[in-house]
Amino acid sequence: MNTRTARLAGGLLAILSCAVLVAAALLYLGGGHAGDTRIHLTRASWLQQEAEAFTTPPQSVTSAFLAGEWQSVELPFRPRIALLRQAASGRADEQAQHVRVSWIRVDVTGPQQGAEALAIYGARIKTDGTVAVYINGRLAHRSQQNGPLYNSTRTPLWITLEPGQAPVKEILLRLEHTPRSQVALSSLWLGPADVLRPAFLVREWVQKELPALLSSAFMAVGLFALFVWFRRPQDIAYLLFFNLSATCFLRGLHFYVSLPIANNWFAWLTVNSLFWLVLAVHFFLRQLHHRPLKWLTRSLVGITALIGVLTTPVLAVLPNMPTVTPMIYPVAALMCLIASFVAGFLSWKHSSEGRLVVVGLLLCIGMGMTDWLLQNNFISVEGFYMGAYMPAVCFATFGVLLYRRYVSAIAEVEQANVRLAERLKAREAELEASHRRLRESELRQTISDERQRLMQDMHDGLGSSLIGAIRSVEHGKISGDRVAQILKDCLDDLKLTIDSMEPVDADLLLLLATLRFRLEPRLEGSGVRLIWEVREVPTLEWLTPSSALHILRIVQESIANILRHTRATEIRVATSAHEEGIQISIADNGAGFDLAAALASGSGRGLQNQQRRAAALNGSVVWDSRAAGTTFTLLLPLQAN
């Protein structure tokens, strides 16, 4: 499967998954079937009262005991909010600490099945105080206790009724709130719990659980990016990604956190995290278009710091309350729009990543404006807070950037590996050519050295013997038998020289076997019996053609001396090994000789040559001559010194 096919298959799979989720949501939200017994409550009455403070809801109350004039309203109920007037009067209301109680009465008509467990479901109740719901005058549900909470408008209403109880005639909702805020209520559903529960679960999952999951996933990836930045501090993009994930996580807390968080500091965190998010996106965009934009950066940082100080609960110059904060959000939206347009202008033609971020940022702005309209009752309260999915949009947008950079880094590494492999291959070819030239040079040098060695050896041995024989013949001082003997010795020297050039693989026995092959016919012609007692000995790693020739000439000289001077009838050749090295011994049964006299006289040149050659091998020679015969011993080391 090629890359294009894989991308197409992945896209189709993603679209199919989204379609399945949407279909399931519509099925659950639509609910019902033929013969559905649900009752959709869309008519209500509204009554608002003043109170001194937040109080605990009574255990029972009916609309008949409430003083005031009821107003007929439609559900969803979203009274208009005058933002400017509320912002101007909010400070005085904050100091007065007054409380308002909005009562919403819903009369229920229509058949109800008493055999099944009934439930009341509403998409949303909006207030910043305690919510109490009375069924037929008795308290059935209470939430958001202990005064105003800021995270009070995201959880749908769900009340289950016990089977067999009296039919529901009146649903009375008691909504406490501060005068600077306003309430809202979606339409209500009354019916079997099994029928209404899917819509409630989908609403809660889409509005709370799924955004919490996506935000947590974004935060987890952000923490991973932070640890990557610790190892690669020069790559600031990972730190900016962590800042994005952290600010998105803080910004989305009020969508799904159900803990009783005090209004002041939680509102301050909610408001200012939006400005922090805008700053984080701005710095990320600067990394993409590579423009410092000092004037814009200073302006955004200054506004963010100013808003943070003015909204601090300690100073409370701009109180964190619904009468003021709705006027602050447009400032964040304006900052975000300016940053988006500037970044889009700088990077639209030059950076596809910049265009992607700008599109994602504009989408987030649209989501935020939708939430602002929903929060301030400009659109239906039954809608969804799209701002809960801003972390998901940021995650997807900046995750795509990091993914592309990751893939690009892998591609660069692969290309670097390819280039490295090519350079390595070229280097190997160069080394191979250099090695080949070196081998050729070494071969030429070896041949030259071997030629020089052979020439020197033939000059010292064979050449010297022939020259001596020629001079003796010219002066008539040598017999024909002596000439024949000299020629035979020269021929043996020539054969030994040739044999020394054969590879012996550090095997001394093979070298001695070659010598035996050469000398045995001569011994048989002389009537001398050869006793061969050569045994297995360790290999000599230092055995080269030059050292082999030395060994052959030493042994040859010893046998030649026996044939010339001892009149022996038997020669015994043996080998043995000991700790100090290898021993080659040659013994005969001929007449002995005086070793000292032979070495002192001129006739002992052959013995001296044997000593010289043995010393060249880091070895030694020993003679033991007696009347019954002579034993010659050559000692060779196991390792070259």
Side-chain angles (χ1 to χ4, degrees):
M1 180 181 294
N2 56 31
T3 305
R4 184 175 181 181
T5 304
R7 290 178 178 176
L8 180 60
L12 292 177
L13 181 61
I15 294 174
L16 179 61
S17 301
C18 294
V20 171
L21 290 176
V22 172
L26 292 177
L27 177 62
Y28 281 150
L29 290 174
H33 48 74
D36 192 355
T37 57
R38 297 179 306 165
I39 301 175
H40 191 195
L41 305 174
T42 59
R43 300 287 302 175
S45 299
W46 176 40
L47 173 64
Q48 195 169 77
Q49 297 177 337
E50 298 289 335
E52 293 295 330
F54 290 95
T55 58
T56 302
Q59 292 297 316
S60 61
V61 65
T62 61
S63 60
F65 293 96
L66 298 176
E69 183 179 353
W70 292 87
Q71 302 179 28
S72 297
V73 295
E74 295 284 341
L75 299 182
F77 173 57
R78 50 181 182 92
R80 293 186 177 275
I81 300 176
L83 295 178
L84 295 178
R85 187 169 62 251
Q86 284 194 167
S89 61
R91 186 69 177 178
D93 292 336
E94 176 70 15
Q95 295 174 354
Q97 294 294 325
H98 290 166
V99 174
R100 289 179 181 175
V101 179
S102 290
W103 296 89
I104 300 178
R105 183 187 68 201
V106 180
D107 296 323
V108 181
T109 59
Q112 303 174 30
Q113 295 182 359
E116 298 181 4
L118 297 179
I120 298 174
Y121 163 68
R124 179 172 291 109
I125 297 178
K126 175 192 170 186
T127 183
D128 62 349
T130 304
V131 176
V133 181
Y134 297 87
I135 307 297
N136 295 337
R138 298 185 63 83
L139 181 64
H141 173 78
R142 184 173 62 180
S143 62
Q144 301 177 190
Q145 306 176 43
N146 303 323
L149 298 177
Y150 198 73
N151 55 332
S152 59
T153 61
R154 277 79 188 176
T155 303
L157 175 66
W158 177 258
I159 305 173
T160 56
L161 307 178
E162 296 181 0
Q165 74 175 33
V168 179
K169 298 298 183 181
E170 180 186 78
I171 301 174
L172 186 62
L173 292 93
R174 180 180 183 270
L175 308 179
E176 284 185 325
H177 58 98
T178 55
R180 60 182 181 268
S181 67
Q182 192 56 277
V183 299
L185 176 66
S186 66
S187 61
L188 302 178
W189 291 85
L190 173 65
D194 293 339
V195 178
L196 295 177
R197 184 174 287 107
F200 165 72
L201 294 177
V202 169
R203 167 70 68 163
E204 189 175 48
W205 183 74
V206 171
Q207 195 65 74
K208 291 185 61 178
E209 296 179 3
L210 181 58
L213 178 64
L214 296 175
S215 182
S216 299
F218 191 14
M219 188 65 200
V221 178
L223 289 174
F224 174 78
L226 177 64
F227 286 107
V228 173
W229 178 75
F230 286 153
R231 296 298 301 271
R232 298 176 56 86
Q234 72 280 3
D235 197 344
I236 199 67
Y238 290 102
L239 179 61
L240 292 176
F241 187 86
F242 167 73
N243 291 333
L244 282 170
S245 65
T247 51
C248 280
F249 182 79
L250 295 175
R251 171 60 189 162
L253 280 176
H254 61 287
F255 288 107
Y256 40 78
V257 169
S258 57
L259 297 176
I261 302 176
N263 180 55
N264 287 338
W265 283 106
F266 187 66
W268 181 87
L269 178 65
T270 303
V271 171
N272 285 274
S273 61
L274 180 59
F275 289 86
W276 302 337
L277 178 60
V278 174
L279 270 185
V281 174
H282 169 68
F283 282 111
F284 210 115
L285 287 170
R286 288 205 326 174
Q287 291 292 317
L288 295 179
H289 55 64
H290 303 291
R291 301 289 182 87
L293 298 179
K294 295 181 180 180
W295 59 273
L296 181 59
T297 301
R298 292 171 181 173
S299 300
L300 296 180
V301 172
I303 294 174
T304 301
L306 180 63
I307 295 296
V309 172
L310 294 179
T311 57
T312 303
V314 177
L315 300 178
V317 178
L318 293 178
N320 293 312
M321 53 187 181
T323 55
V324 176
T325 51
M327 306 303 298
I328 297 178
Y329 284 133
V331 178
L334 180 61
M335 290 172 53
C336 196
L337 282 173
I338 294 175
S340 300
F341 285 128
V342 172
F345 176 78
L346 294 176
S347 61
W348 196 262
K349 294 183 178 180
H350 307 287
S351 173
S352 59
E353 295 181 344
R355 294 194 295 269
L356 177 62
V357 174
V358 170
V359 171
L361 194 56
L362 293 177
L363 182 59
C364 290
I365 294 174
M367 290 180 170
M369 294 304 298
T370 302
D371 286 1
W372 187 82
L373 295 173
L374 179 60
Q375 181 68 22
N376 294 285
N377 291 354
F378 287 101
I379 59 178
S380 174
V381 72
E382 293 186 347
F384 287 92
Y385 279 96
M386 301 306 298
Y389 291 92
M390 289 174 59
V393 175
C394 293
F395 189 12
T397 302
F398 293 95
V400 168
L401 297 185
L402 291 185
Y403 168 77
R404 293 178 61 178
R405 293 193 175 190
Y406 176 74
V407 172
S408 177
I410 292 179
E412 290 179 0
V413 171
E414 291 176 346
Q415 293 177 1
N417 289 336
V418 171
R419 291 193 297 268
L420 182 60
E422 292 176 351
R423 292 176 56 188
L424 180 61
K425 186 176 180 180
R427 185 60 177 167
E428 288 178 348
E430 293 177 1
L431 291 176
E432 179 64 26
S434 177
H435 185 59
R436 183 174 62 255
R437 291 192 298 268
L438 182 60
R439 290 199 306 269
E440 293 174 353
S441 177
E442 290 179 348
L443 179 59
R444 289 193 297 268
Q445 184 64 35
T446 301
I447 294 174
S448 177
D449 293 343
E450 188 67 15
R451 183 183 296 112
Q452 186 69 25
R453 181 186 67 82
L454 292 177
M455 291 176 63
Q456 183 67 35
D457 191 78
M458 291 179 68
H459 176 270
D460 295 342
L462 181 61
S464 179
S465 299
L466 289 176
I467 291 174
I470 291 173
R471 289 179 178 177
S472 297
V473 171
E474 289 176 346
H475 291 83
K477 297 179 180 181
I478 190 170
S479 63
D481 293 338
R482 180 57 180 163
V483 171
Q485 182 62 39
I486 292 174
L487 293 177
K488 288 181 180 180
D489 291 342
C490 291
L491 183 60
D492 290 340
D493 286 344
L494 182 60
K495 290 179 179 179
L496 290 178
T497 301
I498 296 173
D499 290 340
S500 68
M501 300 175 63
E502 295 293 331
V504 294
D505 297 328
D507 191 353
L508 180 62
L509 301 185
L510 179 60
L511 184 64
L512 295 177
T514 303
L515 179 62
R516 177 184 180 185
F517 174 76
R518 295 295 187 188
L519 296 179
E520 197 166 24
R522 184 177 176 184
L523 295 175
E524 291 178 355
S526 301
V528 178
R529 186 167 69 92
L530 177 64
I531 301 175
W532 196 260
E533 295 181 351
V534 175
R535 300 291 183 264
E536 188 73 24
V537 294
T539 58
L540 300 176
E541 300 296 338
W542 51 265
L543 191 59
T544 62
S546 178
S547 58
L549 182 59
H550 282 308
I551 295 174
L552 290 176
R553 290 204 180 279
I554 292 172
V555 176
Q556 178 203 25
E557 183 68 25
S558 179
I559 295 176
N561 288 336
I562 294 173
L563 294 178
R564 294 192 194 105
H565 306 295
T566 65
R567 296 184 300 278
T569 60
E570 182 180 281
I571 298 176
R572 183 185 304 273
V573 179
T575 59
S576 62
H578 51 83
E579 294 181 358
E580 296 180 358
I582 295 175
Q583 179 176 291
I584 303 174
S585 61
I586 304 172
D588 65 81
N589 59 354
F593 66 97
D594 187 354
L595 178 62
L599 290 175
S601 65
S603 62
R605 182 176 298 176
L607 303 181
Q608 295 175 354
N609 287 337
Q610 286 179 303
Q611 289 179 330
R612 178 178 57 80
R613 291 183 184 275
L617 300 175
N618 295 318
S620 61
V621 292
V622 178
W623 289 271
D624 183 11
S625 182
R626 301 178 183 179
T630 301
T631 300
F632 169 79
T633 303
L634 171 62
L635 298 175
L636 298 174
L638 291 176
Q639 302 293 335
N641 296 328

